[in-house]
Amino acid sequence: SFVEYDDPASGFADGVAPPRFSNGYFQLRNRVGILVETHSWKDYPTRVRITRNAIVDLVEMAAGDGAGWLAAEQAADRRSSQLAGKPVALDFKATDKARTIDFLGYAWTRTPSDISGALMTHYDESKPEVWKIPLRGEVVPALAVTAPRGGYLVPAAWASLVEPKLQLHGIKYRRLDAPLEAAAVETFRVEKPKFDAASFEGHQRATLDGQWSRGTRDLGAGALFVPIAQPEARLAMALLEPQAPDSLAAWGETNNAFEQKEYMEDYVAEDVARELLADDPALKSEFEKKLQDDPGFAKDAAARLDFFYRRSPSWDAGYGLYPVLRTDAVP
């Protein structure tokens, strides 16, 4: 794509399609994926011919090279089954490193439009020419995540949401018949989720800032375990890692975990704060230091009350906790 929309002078940037597109999805399944995209403004016979030729060409290529493709795919399956503890790229970007290429284009002009008022590019298809244009072709990971050594755990309360997705994509998992007590896990807590203002394809997408941290959790029977030792490991990570570009979390499927359901009235918080200050000298010192060091906090009545609410027994410890856990062990 052009680096700047509709501006040939900006040059091209290469990239890797995210999993929502067919040529970005199938690589996560260790398979070749090709997106045949015929331009919507081409006439119908042209689009039919292009699609027909693409299908026939692929069948002929498979007839000649299919055995080699199959061997490569099986080898990729084996490698994916051994990703535990290794970094896995889940999103990509082009660097600023560029080289000049010859591109077969047409003469073009870029002038203000009397319709939109914006600069618009116009091509003269009667004048073919070779563009000397920069290509940013070096693609590197924009997000790399270390794969869990054991896999992922989905608490029973969220199993009905996640299980159909796992089944749909053919990702291996099993349901735990017995509870896990004080299981050593990694949890991902989100302090300030960012929700898109407008819906997109029926979803309110979310961007989650946070990091994994180690701790223990009790899980009831009915939780799901998704092993990382499987050919679909990359696909499982693309679905379950909260910061992956097309994860369940990114598509808003877990937004309910980041909505604060309960609150403490101000007059109650005032009383709770005084009790906490009287009982906990360390908390009193922490509060006084924050008042001194953070003028914004000192002037914000709601933030000051929230400081104590979050430290009271009434605070919802599950608020902001991403509802998928990572584990080093296989239960």
Side-chain angles (χ1 to χ4, degrees):
S1 302
F2 289 135
V3 174
E4 297 179 13
Y5 177 75
D6 196 42
D7 186 358
S10 67
F12 292 119
D14 202 353
V16 177
R20 74 185 73 168
F21 300 109
S22 59
N23 55 330
Y25 174 82
F26 281 99
Q27 63 181 343
L28 296 176
R29 301 190 67 100
N30 309 315
R31 299 296 182 264
V32 175
I34 297 175
L35 175 64
V36 179
E37 191 170 30
T38 57
H39 199 284
S40 60
W41 295 114
K42 294 290 185 182
D43 60 84
Y44 182 69
T46 298
R47 286 184 282 139
V48 171
R49 185 179 68 254
I50 291 171
T51 303
R52 180 264 180 199
N53 289 346
I55 293 172
V56 172
D57 287 348
L58 285 170
V59 171
E60 291 177 347
M61 293 170 67
D65 301 323
W69 294 357
L70 185 59
E73 291 166 351
Q74 291 171 341
D77 281 348
R78 291 191 293 271
R79 289 194 300 272
S80 288
S81 298
Q82 301 171 359
L83 288 177
K86 298 178 182 178
V88 176
L90 297 177
D91 198 10
F92 300 86
K93 63 181 179 181
T95 68
D96 292 332
K97 184 179 179 180
R99 61 184 176 90
T100 301
I101 62 169
D102 293 338
F103 183 82
L104 303 182
Y106 297 97
W108 58 277
T109 57
R110 190 160 170 79
T111 56
S113 167
D114 56 354
I115 301 297
S116 67
L119 285 174
M120 297 293 294
T121 302
H122 303 275
Y123 299 95
D124 186 346
E125 295 186 18
S126 68
K127 298 178 181 179
E129 63 180 30
V130 178
W131 297 352
K132 301 288 186 180
I133 191 169
L135 167 64
R136 291 166 52 188
E138 182 181 61
V139 177
V140 298
L143 171 68
V145 177
T146 300
R149 294 189 178 277
Y152 295 93
L153 288 165
V154 181
W158 289 85
S160 62
L161 170 75
V162 177
E163 187 172 24
K165 305 296 185 183
L166 301 176
Q167 293 174 341
L168 179 67
H169 293 281
I171 296 172
K172 296 179 179 62
Y173 72 96
R174 59 183 170 88
R175 186 179 290 270
L176 303 184
D177 296 328
L180 292 177
E181 296 182 1
V185 296
E186 289 180 273
T187 59
F188 190 95
R189 187 173 293 279
V190 179
E191 291 295 334
K192 293 182 179 179
K194 299 175 184 176
F195 303 114
D196 286 0
S199 66
F200 178 67
E201 297 189 359
H203 294 261
Q204 184 187 30
R205 286 180 58 86
T207 301
L208 306 180
D209 292 329
Q211 59 185 2
W212 292 100
S213 60
R214 295 189 178 276
T216 59
R217 287 286 302 278
D218 294 332
L219 286 96
L224 307 180
F225 172 65
V226 183
I228 199 67
Q230 61 173 301
E232 291 76 23
R234 284 188 175 86
L235 182 55
M237 293 183 69
L239 278 174
L240 300 177
E241 282 293 333
Q243 295 178 306
D246 280 336
S247 66
L248 297 178
W251 279 94
E253 296 284 2
T254 61
N255 283 359
N256 195 34
F258 314 117
E259 299 171 359
Q260 187 171 345
K261 306 298 191 296
E262 301 294 337
Y263 68 96
M264 181 179 285
E265 293 87 348
D266 290 356
Y267 73 92
V268 176
E270 288 275 354
D271 291 341
V272 169
R274 297 182 194 285
E275 292 175 4
L276 291 174
L277 289 172
D279 295 340
D280 191 341
L283 178 63
K284 184 175 185 296
S285 297
E286 181 185 356
F287 178 62
E288 292 173 348
K289 186 175 188 303
K290 192 167 181 65
L291 289 174
Q292 182 178 353
D293 297 343
D294 188 344
F297 173 78
K299 297 177 182 178
D300 190 335
R304 291 170 62 154
L305 291 176
D306 188 65
F307 174 91
F308 294 101
Y309 177 33
R310 287 174 178 264
R311 289 158 176 79
S312 75
S314 299
W315 176 249
D316 179 7
Y319 171 59
L321 197 63
Y322 174 57
V324 177
L325 314 173
R326 291 161 50 108
T327 177
D328 288 344
V330 176

